Amino acid sequence: MKKFTKLCGTWSLNVISNGRLPLEEFAVKMGRIAPYVDYVHIREKKCTAKEIVAGVRKLVSEGVPRSKIIINDRVDVAVVEKTYGVQLAHHSLDIRAVKHSFPQLKVGKSVHSAEEAQEAEKQGADYLLYGHIYETASKADLPAKGLENLKCVTSSVTIPVIAIGGIKPEHVVPVIQAGASGIAVMSSVGEAADPLSVIQSYREMEGSEWLSK
Amino acid sequence: MKKFTKLCGTWSLNVISNGRLPLEEFAVKMGRIAPYVDYVHIREKKCTAKEIVAGVRKLVSEGVPRSKIIINDRVDVAVVEKTYGVQLAHHSLDIRAVKHSFPQLKVGKSVHSAEEAQEAEKQGADYLLYGHIYETASKADLPAKGLENLKCVTSSVTIPVIAIGGIKPEHVVPVIQAGASGIAVMSSVGEAADPLSVIQSYREMEGSEWLSK
């Protein structure tokens, strides 16, 4: 438990909004856990640019620095609001085009295979989000990728791979052992009544024997 | 009719995609009328960034120059694709923020009153889109603004005001007389079997007695 005072650790912890919780509420929760989280992603497919801007400003006012904020898809919002970066999906702008026009932005790409991962690295992505690793209600119709596929992806690129999808605290060690540089969680933190204790349960893994080596 | 050979004229003709016609088809139609149109707007609220990019490239391949293309809301697509400008709505990024981060872009703002028009000019908008002037099926639940309100708006700002909404060829003269710098049309051109003859019927107004003065 004392390891929790270490704040951000050897692997990165990403929290992603889930499109259900109002951004206002999400921001309040994120403010409470900001010191223990590496990145907070706004991923709200139904929100307008103006609403996402309001979400960023609320996060900042709650104590989440812009250097920890990542915007899904809306590159323009990320640039205007000077956030850390942008997370691109298959339906987003090209990585290369974004890096060319906005070199100041870190660019993450969501990938679903080693081929996509290699292509994204080639195009200049700064990091990847890969999943879903474990079964999760939000992707109930698709089979989980599992640790073997994660290993395949992490070993096929040199940029950091963040694992996402059904990751519980007890999964942190195997996921990091599989080569991931961090994890991303959605509902488990965003919708928790006490997000701090949830984050704590993930961060406790920081002190596990394997990760201390 | 001979005035039609004059190509773009003393007032600007804007054609806006309507969100129903596939962008691919829209682009083919726009290619046929490009020389007679000042600006082609991609306004596709349900399209992804990648789809809008594909729409821009299709327009370009059909002969519409980037200097005539305006993107609705997605500032990032406009920047990456080097289009003439972006059209902002109430739910979009702030004009001032866009002008600050992307000074190379022309910024239009959609307004619905003289107060909004003045505010948009103050924030740095390059031009305004104001409507709907006449009754139109796409805004059946809202009363038309009419020419008096249009006059009020055009006289309250110094930047160009483009009139939109139910504008038929016979409305061009009164709308320009009311101070508009141009008109915007959606379905009447986009969905016409012969968009060239529709455009022609608008451009013929170029030669009307009043406009020749």
Side-chain angles (χ1 to χ4, degrees):
Chain A
M1 195 71 84
K2 66 183 174 195
K3 282 279 184 184
F4 192 53
T5 57
K6 207 181 144 204
L7 306 186
C8 294
T10 53
W11 49 274
S12 89
L13 180 46
N14 295 251
V15 181
I16 304 180
S17 73
N18 66 8
R20 290 193 299 267
L21 194 70
L23 271 183
E24 183 100 352
E25 283 179 50
F26 176 73
V28 171
K29 289 192 171 184
M30 292 306 104
R32 291 173 57 198
I33 61 175
Y36 313 107
V37 168
D38 296 275
Y39 300 106
V40 174
H41 300 234
I42 298 185
R43 180 175 178 273
E44 298 290 315
K45 298 184 180 184
K46 290 181 184 162
C47 280
T48 66
K50 182 174 248 175
E51 289 165 343
I52 301 171
V53 166
V56 171
R57 294 181 184 175
K58 180 69 177 165
L59 278 172
V60 171
S61 76
E62 292 293 327
V64 181
R66 285 172 199 272
S67 60
K68 287 192 173 189
I69 301 173
I70 293 174
I71 307 293
N72 190 278
D73 187 60
R74 290 292 308 228
V75 182
D76 43 6
V77 176
V79 172
V80 162
E81 287 298 310
K82 297 186 167 55
T83 65
Y84 175 78
V86 68
Q87 181 68 32
L88 303 178
H90 67 279
H91 58 76
S92 302
L93 287 171
D94 281 347
I95 299 166
R96 201 169 270 140
V98 174
K99 290 300 284 186
H100 176 77
S101 294
F102 316 106
Q104 73 275 30
L105 275 191
K106 294 293 179 189
V107 173
K109 180 74 191 283
S110 300
V111 297
H112 302 91
S113 68
E115 292 70 32
E116 284 183 18
Q118 288 170 325
E119 179 59 28
E121 178 171 33
K122 205 170 109 188
Q123 287 188 20
D126 294 294
Y127 72 92
L128 305 172
L129 205 57
Y130 173 74
H132 55 291
I133 308 301
Y134 298 98
E135 283 184 17
T136 167
S138 65
K139 299 269 185 189
D141 51 336
L142 290 169
K145 303 287 188 187
L147 291 171
E148 284 309 310
N149 281 314
L150 174 59
K151 272 181 207 167
C152 174
V153 168
T154 60
S155 63
S156 72
V157 294
T158 62
I159 53 178
V161 177
I162 309 300
I164 186 171
I167 298 174
K168 296 190 173 62
E170 61 267 31
H171 297 140
V172 170
V173 171
V175 159
I176 302 302
Q177 279 179 318
S181 300
I183 67 158
V185 292
M186 291 180 84
S187 313
S188 60
V189 173
E191 297 199 342
D194 182 2
L196 192 57
S197 75
V198 176
I199 284 297
Q200 201 160 6
S201 64
Y202 282 96
R203 279 295 184 207
E204 277 169 11
M205 294 301 136
E206 200 74 39
S208 75
E209 199 185 335
W210 184 84
L211 290 174
S212 313
K213 277 179 186 169
Chain B
M1 193 72 83
K2 67 185 175 196
K3 282 277 183 185
F4 192 53
T5 58
K6 207 182 145 205
L7 305 187
C8 294
T10 52
W11 49 275
S12 89
L13 180 45
N14 295 250
V15 182
I16 305 181
S17 74
N18 66 6
R20 290 192 299 268
L21 194 70
L23 271 183
E24 183 100 354
E25 283 179 50
F26 176 73
V28 172
K29 289 191 171 185
M30 292 308 105
R32 292 174 55 199
I33 60 175
Y36 313 105
V37 167
D38 295 275
Y39 299 106
V40 175
H41 300 233
I42 298 186
R43 180 175 178 274
E44 299 290 316
K45 297 183 179 183
K46 290 181 184 162
C47 281
T48 65
K50 182 174 246 173
E51 289 165 343
I52 301 170
V53 166
V56 171
R57 294 182 184 174
K58 179 70 176 165
L59 278 171
V60 171
S61 76
E62 292 292 327
V64 182
R66 285 172 199 273
S67 59
K68 286 191 174 191
I69 300 174
I70 294 174
I71 307 292
N72 189 278
D73 186 59
R74 290 293 306 228
V75 182
D76 42 6
V77 176
V79 172
V80 163
E81 287 298 311
K82 297 185 167 58
T83 65
Y84 174 78
V86 68
Q87 181 68 31
L88 303 178
H90 69 280
H91 58 77
S92 302
L93 286 171
D94 280 348
I95 300 165
R96 201 169 271 142
V98 174
K99 291 299 284 186
H100 176 77
S101 295
F102 316 107
Q104 73 275 31
L105 276 190
K106 294 293 179 190
V107 174
K109 180 73 191 284
S110 300
V111 297
H112 303 91
S113 68
E115 292 69 31
E116 285 182 18
Q118 289 170 322
E119 178 59 28
E121 176 171 34
K122 207 171 109 187
Q123 288 189 20
D126 294 294
Y127 71 93
L128 305 173
L129 205 58
Y130 173 73
H132 55 293
I133 308 301
Y134 297 98
E135 283 183 19
T136 167
S138 64
K139 300 268 185 189
D141 51 336
L142 291 169
K145 302 288 188 188
L147 290 171
E148 284 309 310
N149 281 314
L150 174 60
K151 272 181 207 165
C152 174
V153 168
T154 59
S155 63
S156 71
V157 293
T158 63
I159 53 178
V161 176
I162 309 299
I164 187 172
I167 298 174
K168 296 190 172 63
E170 61 267 31
H171 298 139
V172 170
V173 171
V175 158
I176 302 302
Q177 279 180 318
S181 300
I183 65 158
V185 291
M186 291 179 83
S187 314
S188 60
V189 173
E191 296 198 342
D194 183 2
L196 192 58
S197 76
V198 176
I199 285 297
Q200 199 160 4
S201 63
Y202 282 96
R203 278 295 184 206
E204 276 169 12
M205 295 300 137
E206 199 75 37
S208 75
E209 197 183 336
W210 186 84
L211 290 175
S212 314
K213 276 179 186 171

